[in-house]
Amino acid sequence: MRSWLLQGLQTDREQIEHGPHVKHSWWRVMCLTGVDYFSTLGYQPGIAALAAGLLAPLATVFLVGLTLLGALPVYRRVAAESPYGQGSIAMLEKLAPQWWGKLFVLALLGFAATDFVITMTLSAADATAHILENPFVPGFLHGQRVLVTLVLLALLGGVFLMGFTEAIGIAVLLVLVYLGMNAVVVATAVAHVIGAPQVVVDWQRALSPDFGGPLAMVGLSLLVMPKLALGMSGFETGVAVMPVVRGDIQGRIKGTRRLLTTAALIMSGFLVFSSFATTVLIPHEEFEEGGSASGRALAYLAHGYLGDWFGTAYDVSTIAILWFAGASAMAGLINLVPRYLPRYGMAPEWTGAVRPLVLVFSAIAFAITVIFDADVEAQGGAYATGVLVLMLSAAVAVTLSARKKGRHGAFAGFAVITAVLAYTLVDNVIERPDGVKIASFFIAAIVVTSLISRATRSTELRVTEVRLDPLAERFVNETCGDLHLIANEPHARDQAEYTDKLREQWVNHRLRTSEPVMFVEVSVPDASEFETKLHVRGEERYGHRILAIESSAVPNSLAALLLYLRDRTGSVPHIYFHWAEGNPVVAMLRYLVFGGGDVPPLSREVLRQAEPDPERRPRVHVG
């Protein structure tokens, strides 16, 4: 079972950046991300009708404008600047230094988790609603929406346990069938509108007395447009799965841009025509809760104009793509999480494998479904909040990038997009604050579990590679017999410091003057990093030989250096410390936060875990 679960475990950071071994054409990957994006056709026209009423087509046009002129240019730029699938989170990570940057990334991952997990649960719940609304469904299933939703989520997890390639194959089939059937339904509805122009006249007459004039209609449409934000989901997933796209780096960027553009154009066309047709053909009361078109406007038209048999076939395709819409979210999560949390030491190494992550996210989705009673409306606020926060973060990232590169025109354009998305997010949060509450829970859970994981993994070796510069190589090669290293915390680095330190070790450890010694010094530029590569510099100061290192943690780096020297020379090295003074609990906290603390016992503990054989373990002397 362990071997099956951890199959494909990627502990090599470069392999994680490169992505899965099997790559796919951009249009196939578009289908995987599109199961989320395109599936919103199942409920977006109904949401628009409830939010904007008769103005739904105009509000949808503004949403499409924001998609094509705002989200699409932003994510095309994100794709160019993060070709390994880190998305806008990686671009913003560079702006905040050290621990602040890590906590900022954890907060954004919380919103990403909100977006992706709620995508899974909301889509499965909406698929359940379509199942239970179909006239051919057996009566014993009515009232069992939680159970049906859990079964759909379990089936989704089962697909990803089989493999990533299988998931893409299913996505391609579902998207082609679903878009084809939607094209039939929308074309039929538009044909009915053309054949009965009176419905358009009636719609126009109803608009005039209710909304005054064109400016009032435009203003009201802009005000309600944020409520339609669910129709913009899928862009962050599109860049998260970039490593799956076939080709070299430039080919991957080009393919992803083509993926994003094609999906946006297809969806925009469907949104405009479907919103117009459903608004003029379906009585408004049918969109309300309990109505025949509630959450299923296009399905209502399919049954009404093409018969129950075609309508049922359309329901099946809608149910299938809504069920599998969570696949794009699952793909985003299993591509995004291994890029950050393991690198920060804030997740176990098994998170580099797909199957354990699938089980974890499936369990979380089960819990969310039970908590929200599989209610689509109750989860809509959290979904929209997650989508908009990620889009806003992407807009901010590309705006700052354009400014840094001196591209003033792009900077101004992206700044306008950022302002529009910020307004949309704020309006959505005011309207539905439950989204922020749910996101806050995800953020708190991620931060707490990440910090606990970081603390429990603190005594791992954490060094991926050791390299010596030419002078350090010469120092090691010229050493005869055992290696004796004196650990020194660098301060003034003058002659008095080294003389006093050497005298201290002679007194404490009775080192013979005939035994050659070297100093080893570790400085910590950024303690928030977890894994590190050691670049050891050799220095000669005042007649003393010094090995100087920069690293994220002093004890772990010293342990890694000692093990490297042992394997290099074939002799077990010795390292000498003086006892640190002060409260050991405070010293441990200093180690966790600043990478230092009570170095001698921590160095020895790292060595004990890394080398179980005491005879081969480097010797740690403390006096």
Side-chain angles (χ1 to χ4, degrees):
M1 177 63 72
R2 177 182 174 85
S3 174
W4 178 78
L5 277 174
L6 298 182
Q7 183 179 358
L9 177 65
Q10 298 174 347
T11 56
D12 181 3
R13 294 275 79 81
E14 293 182 1
Q15 176 59 38
I16 291 176
E17 296 298 325
H18 183 67
H21 293 289
V22 180
K23 308 293 183 181
H24 300 271
S25 302
W26 67 267
W27 65 270
R28 290 175 62 85
V29 181
M30 182 194 74
C31 290
L32 179 63
T33 62
V35 288
D36 173 23
Y37 193 24
F38 300 142
S39 70
T40 57
L41 283 171
Y43 49 82
Q44 183 69 17
I47 291 176
L50 284 175
L54 296 173
L55 291 175
L58 185 57
T60 301
V61 168
F62 287 130
L63 177 72
V64 167
L66 180 59
T67 300
L68 296 179
L69 303 178
L72 180 58
V74 164
Y75 277 97
R76 283 174 61 89
R77 172 53 52 188
V78 171
E81 299 203 17
S82 61
Y84 295 104
Q86 311 98 316
S88 58
I89 296 176
M91 297 173 66
L92 291 172
E93 180 187 16
K94 301 172 184 176
L95 302 177
Q98 302 189 6
W99 281 109
W100 292 112
K102 305 297 184 292
L103 294 174
F104 181 60
V105 168
L106 292 180
L108 287 179
L109 286 175
F111 282 108
T114 304
D115 177 14
F116 293 155
V117 172
I118 299 296
T119 295
M120 295 163 58
T121 59
L122 183 144
S123 300
D126 201 35
T128 298
H130 280 73
I131 291 173
L132 301 182
E133 287 289 336
N134 188 274
F136 296 111
V137 169
F140 70 88
L141 287 178
H142 291 290
Q144 300 295 327
R145 66 181 185 184
V146 172
L147 178 61
V148 175
T149 304
L150 292 177
V151 170
L152 293 178
L153 288 170
L155 291 173
L156 177 66
V159 171
F160 274 89
L161 290 177
M162 288 191 297
F164 207 88
T165 300
E166 289 79 0
I168 289 182
I170 294 173
V172 170
L173 176 63
L174 291 179
V175 166
L176 293 178
V177 172
Y178 182 69
L179 290 182
M181 299 198 78
N182 268 284
V184 172
V185 174
V186 172
T188 302
V190 172
H192 275 78
V193 172
I194 295 173
Q198 186 60 38
V199 294
V200 179
V201 174
D202 293 340
W203 172 63
Q204 290 175 332
R205 286 175 179 172
L207 282 174
S208 300
D210 290 344
F211 302 103
L215 288 178
M217 294 180 192
V218 170
L220 288 171
S221 298
L222 288 173
L223 286 174
V224 300
M225 189 263 291
K227 298 179 182 179
L228 280 59
L230 294 182
M232 294 196 298
S233 63
F235 282 97
E236 190 72 25
T237 312
V239 295
V241 297
M242 281 185 71
V244 185
V245 178
R246 184 178 297 151
D248 57 14
I249 296 298
Q250 291 304 316
R252 182 187 300 175
I253 293 172
K254 185 178 180 180
T256 303
R257 285 178 156 183
R258 193 175 295 168
L259 174 161
L260 295 170
T261 304
T262 304
L265 290 173
I266 291 173
M267 189 62 176
S268 296
F270 272 113
L271 283 177
V272 171
F273 285 107
S274 64
S275 177
F276 176 72
T278 54
T279 302
V280 301
L281 291 175
I282 301 176
H284 185 74
E285 59 270 16
E286 296 293 346
F287 290 110
E288 297 175 357
E289 188 173 354
S292 300
S294 176
R296 54 191 300 274
L298 289 176
Y300 177 93
L301 294 180
H303 282 273
Y305 292 117
L306 295 165
D308 279 342
W309 284 106
F310 184 89
T312 298
Y314 179 81
D315 283 340
V316 171
S317 70
T318 304
I319 290 164
I321 199 166
L322 283 170
W323 158 65
F324 210 64
S328 65
M330 184 74 82
L333 285 168
I334 61 182
N335 276 283
L336 199 61
V337 168
R339 299 180 186 283
Y340 291 100
L341 296 185
R343 178 161 59 89
Y344 296 169
M346 293 179 171
E349 283 295 337
W350 53 258
T351 54
V354 170
R355 286 175 177 141
L357 286 177
V358 171
L359 294 176
V360 169
F361 294 133
S362 296
I364 294 172
F366 283 7
I368 294 291
T369 298
V370 173
I371 291 170
F372 285 96
D373 196 31
D375 189 333
V376 175
E377 183 63 28
Q379 300 174 69
Y383 185 35
T385 299
V387 169
L388 290 171
V389 167
L390 292 179
M391 284 193 168
L392 180 60
S393 69
V396 170
V398 297
T399 301
L400 295 176
S401 174
R403 181 183 179 183
K404 183 178 180 181
K405 294 178 179 179
R407 301 174 58 202
H408 302 297
F411 169 72
F414 287 132
V416 171
I417 296 171
T418 301
V420 173
L421 289 172
Y423 156 73
T424 307
L425 173 61
V426 171
D427 183 85
N428 188 274
V429 169
I430 294 173
E431 181 75 20
R432 292 182 284 187
D434 52 318
V436 173
K437 296 175 184 177
I438 297 170
S440 299
F441 168 78
F442 273 101
I443 292 170
I446 287 176
V447 169
V448 170
T449 55
S450 296
L451 293 179
I452 291 173
S453 176
R454 177 73 179 238
T456 56
R457 296 186 62 194
S458 60
T459 53
E460 292 181 9
L461 201 56
R462 294 166 53 176
V463 172
T464 58
E465 184 182 3
V466 180
R467 288 185 181 178
L468 277 61
D469 74 358
L471 188 54
E473 288 268 6
R474 182 165 67 83
F475 290 166
V476 173
N477 292 335
E478 290 179 356
T479 301
C480 299
D482 292 339
L483 279 167
H484 298 272
L485 303 178
I486 297 176
N488 179 51
E489 184 177 0
H491 294 291
R493 305 193 77 204
D494 55 11
Q495 184 171 6
E497 178 178 327
Y498 295 109
T499 301
D500 292 343
K501 190 70 178 180
L502 191 58
R503 184 182 298 112
E504 177 189 71
Q505 301 309 314
W506 280 337
V507 171
N508 289 340
H509 301 290
R510 298 295 190 264
L511 279 172
R512 294 186 296 274
T513 54
S514 59
E515 291 175 330
V517 296
M518 283 189 290
F519 289 95
V520 58
E521 300 175 343
V522 182
S523 55
V524 182
D526 183 3
S528 66
E529 292 294 332
F530 188 73
E531 291 184 344
T532 186
K533 294 181 179 180
L534 291 191
H535 297 281
V536 184
R537 302 188 322 274
E539 297 182 16
E540 284 190 282
R541 299 176 71 88
Y542 311 107
H544 303 291
R545 294 184 170 187
I546 303 164
L547 300 178
I549 306 169
E550 285 190 353
S551 175
S552 59
V554 177
N556 311 68
S557 301
L558 292 175
L561 177 63
L562 291 169
L563 291 171
Y564 172 82
L565 293 176
R566 178 204 64 185
D567 297 337
R568 174 73 177 269
T569 64
S571 175
V572 176
H574 299 251
I575 189 166
Y576 300 88
F577 297 94
H578 71 268
W579 279 113
E581 298 181 351
N583 190 313
V585 176
V586 175
M588 173 57 76
L589 293 176
R590 283 182 56 211
Y591 167 59
L592 293 175
V593 178
F594 301 112
D598 198 1
V599 175
L602 286 168
S603 300
R604 198 268 177 185
E605 178 59 21
V606 175
L607 285 168
R608 187 187 67 82
Q609 292 187 21
E611 175 52 75
D613 184 359
E615 295 299 321
R616 301 190 68 245
R617 191 181 301 152
R619 308 290 189 257
V620 177
H621 305 265
V622 192

